[in-house]
């Protein structure tokens, strides 16, 4: 049971723009996931100049619902889990590990939070906190069954013990500027992949966890000087047809043409030879307009792992 004394259902639903039925069923769960993903951005800016992130759900509620900020997986999925429990859904917290193609290995345990929701005896995996590479609608917890969403085609594959892999079918990517096809640098795992047309996103364990168990993962993210989250600033939000990402000072615009075809454009918002003050003003305006985020500090923008998104 997730505990957040300050939580108010109606205020949260207003924050994500949801005005439908509160009955706990799959249709409404899917709508709630859509509203969350298109209203609350993936937001790591506080790691680079703001207040330290914590697992205090009252603080997370104040940040996301009252201050209209966003959060990363622990914050987004954690608070969304509070909402689902308050609405009567049965859920189980699960821990996951993101796959890192550059080293062909998974990250540490409790690197990611997601959960399982059971509706009418059918289990669904819910994850509104991973972001652009993965899904955000509920996925039926069936192994090796391709499932189509706006963002792509996904499947679960059984690993060892209680572990399951989340895989995404490789897509065609084209430039929004000139329409040319782009080829990703990292596609397959030499160690874990079983086919050439599926890429690994992450793995998760089906073992039930408690909220406090994720403190070790949060501490690792915040204290690892070489880690992904201490070297990359993110704002990311989905739209009805795509996604916007501010990765460091680079704006990524992605349009989902179909589950198997996408178009992408990357723009440097703080060019080396440009007017720095004017560029900063444009970034502040962009943060407010595209992501609904305003902060009282200038983040130390970083994009050390930008190569994950670069093309040949």
């Amino acid at each position: 049971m997730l505990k957040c004394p300050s939580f108010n259902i109606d205020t949260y639903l207003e924050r994500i723009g949801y005005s439908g039925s509160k009955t706990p069923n799959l249709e409404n769960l899917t709508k709630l996931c859509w509203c969350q993903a298109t209203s609350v951005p993936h937001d790591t800016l506080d790691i680079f100049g703001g207040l330290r992130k914590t697992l205090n759900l009252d603080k997370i509620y104040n940040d996301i619902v009252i201050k209209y900020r966003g959060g990363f997986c622990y914050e987004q999925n954690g608070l969304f889990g509070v909402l689902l429990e308050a609405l009567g859904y049965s859920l189980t917290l699960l821990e996951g590990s993101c796959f890192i193609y550059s080293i062909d290995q998974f990250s540490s345990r409790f690197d990611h939070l997601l959960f399982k929701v059971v509706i009418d005896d059918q289990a669904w995996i819910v994850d509104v906190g991973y972001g652009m590479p993965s899904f955000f609608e509920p996925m039926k917890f069936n192994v090796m069954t391709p499932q189509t969403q706006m963002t792509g085609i996904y499947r679960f594959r059984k690993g060892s013990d209680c572990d399951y892999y989340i895989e995404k079918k490789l897509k065609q990517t084209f430039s929004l500027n000139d329409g040319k096809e782009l080829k990703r640098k990292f596609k397959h795992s030499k160690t874990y992949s079983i086919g050439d047309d599926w890429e690994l996103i992450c793995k998760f364990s089906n073992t039930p966890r408690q909220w406090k168990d994720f403190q070790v993962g949060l501490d690792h993210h915040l204290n690892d000087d070489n880690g992904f989250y201490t070297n990359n600033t993110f704002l990311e939000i989905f739209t009805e047809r795509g996604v916007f990402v501010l990765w460091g000072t680079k704006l990524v615009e992605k349009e989902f043409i179909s589950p198997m075809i996408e178009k992408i454009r990357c723009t440097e918002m703080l060019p080396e030879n440009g007017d720095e003050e004017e560029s900063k003003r444009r970034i502040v305006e962009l943060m407010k307009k595209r992501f609904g985020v305003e902060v009282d500090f200038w983040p130390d923008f970083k994009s050390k792992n930008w190569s994950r998104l670069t093309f040949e």
Side-chain angles (χ1 to χ4, degrees):
M1 190 76 180
L2 294 164
K3 297 180 179 180
C4 180
S6 59
F7 190 85
N8 181 280
I9 294 177
D10 292 331
T11 305
Y12 191 106
L13 294 178
E14 181 182 356
R15 165 69 175 95
I16 65 174
Y18 181 85
S19 58
S21 167
K22 296 178 183 177
T23 302
N25 57 37
L26 178 61
E27 179 182 1
N28 292 335
L29 175 61
T30 302
K31 291 178 181 178
L32 287 166
C33 289
W34 263 89
C35 287
Q36 177 81 17
T38 56
S39 299
V40 181
H42 193 96
D43 176 356
T44 68
L45 297 185
D46 279 347
I47 299 175
F48 301 88
L51 296 176
R52 185 177 176 87
K53 291 180 176 291
T54 76
L55 292 186
N56 184 310
L57 285 166
D58 283 314
K59 178 185 180 302
I60 296 171
Y61 178 83
N62 187 63
D63 286 343
I64 291 179
V65 179
I66 305 303
K67 294 183 177 180
Y68 272 64
R69 289 289 304 279
F72 64 161
C73 67
Y74 309 115
E75 298 163 303
Q76 288 247 26
N77 281 334
L79 199 61
F80 192 66
V82 175
L83 172 68
L84 295 188
E85 287 189 332
L87 292 174
Y89 291 90
S90 173
L91 61 87
T92 302
L93 300 184
L94 305 176
E95 61 90 6
S97 304
C98 304
F99 189 73
I100 306 172
Y101 274 89
S102 59
I103 60 174
D104 200 35
Q105 292 293 329
F106 288 98
S107 56
S108 58
R109 289 286 187 181
F110 297 96
D111 178 65
H112 183 56
L113 164 67
L114 63 166
F115 40 81
K116 178 173 63 178
V117 175
V118 177
I119 301 175
D120 297 330
D121 298 322
Q122 172 64 55
W124 298 82
I125 300 299
V126 175
D127 187 357
V128 295
Y130 198 101
M132 179 172 60
S134 193
F135 63 91
F136 64 81
E137 299 176 62
M139 273 188 61
K140 185 179 291 187
F141 194 15
N142 290 350
V143 175
M144 297 303 286
T145 302
Q147 301 179 54
T148 301
Q149 299 195 8
M150 176 186 74
T151 57
I153 300 174
Y154 304 88
R155 73 181 182 189
F156 300 118
R157 177 162 61 89
K158 186 70 174 69
S160 60
D161 300 323
C162 296
D163 286 343
Y164 291 83
Y165 300 132
I166 297 176
E167 297 179 311
K168 181 178 183 178
K169 198 169 183 64
L170 288 175
K171 307 170 68 171
Q172 284 184 290
T173 302
F174 298 87
S175 169
L176 271 169
N177 292 325
D178 57 21
K180 292 182 179 179
E181 185 172 3
L182 306 172
K183 300 292 185 181
R184 288 279 300 277
K185 283 187 175 181
F186 303 115
K187 291 183 180 179
H188 310 295
S189 166
K190 297 178 181 178
T191 307
Y192 298 97
S193 293
I194 62 172
D196 290 339
D197 56 350
W198 292 87
E199 62 176 327
L200 275 167
I201 303 297
C202 68
K203 70 175 180 179
F204 66 93
S205 169
N206 195 32
T207 302
R209 304 296 184 180
Q210 297 182 12
W211 178 242
K212 64 181 181 180
D213 295 337
F214 293 89
Q215 186 65 54
V216 64
L218 177 61
D219 289 342
H220 175 74
H221 281 310
L222 298 181
N223 299 328
D224 182 5
D225 291 338
N226 297 314
F228 185 81
Y229 276 108
T230 54
N231 287 281
N232 297 272
T233 49
F234 266 97
L235 281 176
E236 175 180 343
I237 196 162
F238 286 96
T239 69
E240 291 185 357
R241 293 187 58 187
V243 63
F244 287 101
V245 184
L246 184 63
W247 187 341
T249 56
K250 298 174 176 63
L251 175 65
V252 181
E253 303 169 77
K254 184 176 284 191
E255 182 179 344
F256 301 117
I257 307 302
S258 74
M260 289 299 294
I261 299 175
E262 61 188 19
K263 292 185 176 181
I264 190 170
R265 173 169 49 231
C266 303
T267 306
E268 175 55 65
M269 301 298 294
L270 192 62
E272 292 184 4
N273 298 323
D275 184 321
E276 182 175 353
E277 291 305 314
E278 174 61 19
S279 295
K280 287 183 176 180
R281 185 190 64 79
R282 290 173 57 210
I283 290 175
V284 170
E285 289 183 354
L286 175 71
M287 289 165 53
K288 182 178 180 180
K289 179 180 179 180
R290 291 297 187 194
F291 306 96
V293 168
E294 295 182 84
V295 295
D296 57 3
F297 61 94
W298 178 253
D300 181 18
F301 288 107
K302 294 183 180 180
S303 56
K304 181 178 179 180
N305 297 94
W306 176 251
S307 61
R308 293 192 186 187
L309 196 64
T310 53
F311 300 87
E312 296 175 353

